[in-house]
Amino acid sequence: MEELKEELKEQIRALEQKVEQLSNQAGILEDIHAVRTLHHKYGYYIDKCLYNETIDLFSEDGEVRFMGGIFKGKAGLRRLYIERFQKRFTNGKNGPRYGFLLDHPLMQDIVDVSPDRKTAKLRARSVMQAGNHESAEGPTKQWWEGGFHLNEYVKEDGIWKIKVLDYRAAWHADFETGWAQTPPHAYPFFSVTFPEDPLGPDELMANPKLWPETDIIPFHYPHPVTGKWVK
């Protein structure tokens, strides 16, 4: 009888461990879905120039890395999204402007959640179609852009937020002539920081590259078969 009791206890302990393991795996899958959804919601807000809503997706100490510059905290985010983008693209309005296209299809997202389920990393691709209609205010223009997101996320009070939005623009192209005709250095990186540049970043990134220059954008994960890190 005692042996049977011990055997039952062992089986119960094994079942409890299995339930805990499955519960954790299910939780990680829920986190992956939440982070992926957050990433795509960011894209939908940016499409329609909803910059106030965009900033609300970030943690208080969140940052954006963009065109060779690092914008830190909510103050830095406001300089980028409100003082720069909103004033430039929508004349200070939070929301879309007639005749202005700024679509950001986001795709090929890979999400990895930390074992403690408090942080996550994402790698994804973005291809942007943008332009100004001939009937809209301002010069008529249309262009393409492609790049990568190398983002970090943090869970605060059970809610996933963007910790680092690291967007690496890879190429820009005029719509009519295409990427093969894009001259080198056609789109300059940030070179002056805040406050010397009132709308500039808090820091500069080291050695950013843009088409026709090419580089391997670092992977946040090892090779799935060999387990080696791709340098």
Side-chain angles (χ1 to χ4, degrees):
M1 182 65 70
E2 290 300 322
E3 291 182 0
L4 180 59
K5 287 182 179 179
E6 287 300 319
E7 184 178 346
L8 288 173
K9 288 181 181 179
E10 286 297 323
Q11 291 177 352
I12 290 172
R13 280 194 289 266
L15 287 172
E16 288 174 341
Q17 291 175 353
K18 189 64 175 179
V19 168
E20 182 179 357
Q21 178 186 6
L22 291 174
S23 177
N24 187 61
Q25 290 176 347
I28 288 177
L29 290 175
E30 290 177 357
D31 292 331
I32 290 173
H33 176 71
V35 170
R36 178 174 287 122
T37 300
L38 174 59
H39 177 61
H40 287 282
K41 286 179 178 178
Y42 168 87
Y44 281 118
Y45 287 149
I46 289 295
D47 287 348
K48 296 304 178 184
C49 303
L50 292 165
Y51 297 117
N52 293 341
E53 289 77 6
T54 296
I55 292 175
D56 288 340
L57 297 175
F58 287 80
S59 62
E60 287 298 320
D61 59 348
E63 66 180 51
V64 171
R65 300 170 187 173
F66 173 74
M67 290 303 289
I70 303 175
F71 295 80
K72 295 187 171 184
K74 289 298 177 79
L77 299 183
R78 287 191 62 83
R79 284 201 308 275
L80 179 64
Y81 287 111
I82 305 298
E83 299 300 319
R84 181 176 289 274
F85 291 163
Q86 190 176 90
K87 288 185 176 179
R88 177 183 177 186
F89 295 147
T90 62
N91 298 323
K93 172 190 174 185
N94 186 58
R97 174 175 64 81
Y98 171 81
F100 181 60
L101 178 69
L102 197 69
D103 284 352
H104 296 72
L106 304 176
M107 61 197 81
Q108 289 185 295
D109 34 285
I110 297 173
V111 179
D112 288 291
V113 175
S114 64
D116 62 9
R117 297 180 55 199
K118 294 180 180 179
T119 61
K121 293 185 177 182
L122 171 144
R123 181 187 182 93
R125 186 185 297 275
S126 174
V127 179
M128 185 178 76
Q129 300 103 28
N132 208 39
H133 193 267
E134 61 182 2
S135 64
E137 177 185 351
T140 301
K141 186 179 180 181
Q142 52 189 0
W143 71 96
W144 295 90
E145 179 181 323
F148 296 89
H149 283 272
L150 309 174
N151 298 352
E152 299 177 21
Y153 299 83
V154 61
K155 187 189 286 186
E156 296 181 347
D157 298 324
I159 299 175
W160 283 101
K161 299 178 183 179
I162 303 172
K163 174 75 171 180
V164 177
L165 189 135
D166 185 354
Y167 175 66
R168 307 288 183 93
W171 54 271
H172 293 81
D174 179 77
F175 182 84
E176 285 78 10
T177 58
W179 41 84
Q181 304 299 321
T182 302
H185 313 297
Y187 298 85
F189 294 106
F190 285 106
S191 58
V192 179
T193 58
F194 178 83
E196 183 178 352
D197 177 356
L199 302 183
D202 295 281
E203 294 181 14
L204 299 178
M205 298 175 65
N207 196 30
K209 296 185 184 298
L210 190 64
W211 176 259
E213 291 188 85
T214 58
D215 199 1
I216 292 179
I217 307 299
F219 298 94
H220 74 259
Y221 48 83
H223 190 283
V225 176
T226 67
K228 297 180 179 179
W229 288 92
V230 179
K231 297 182 180 180

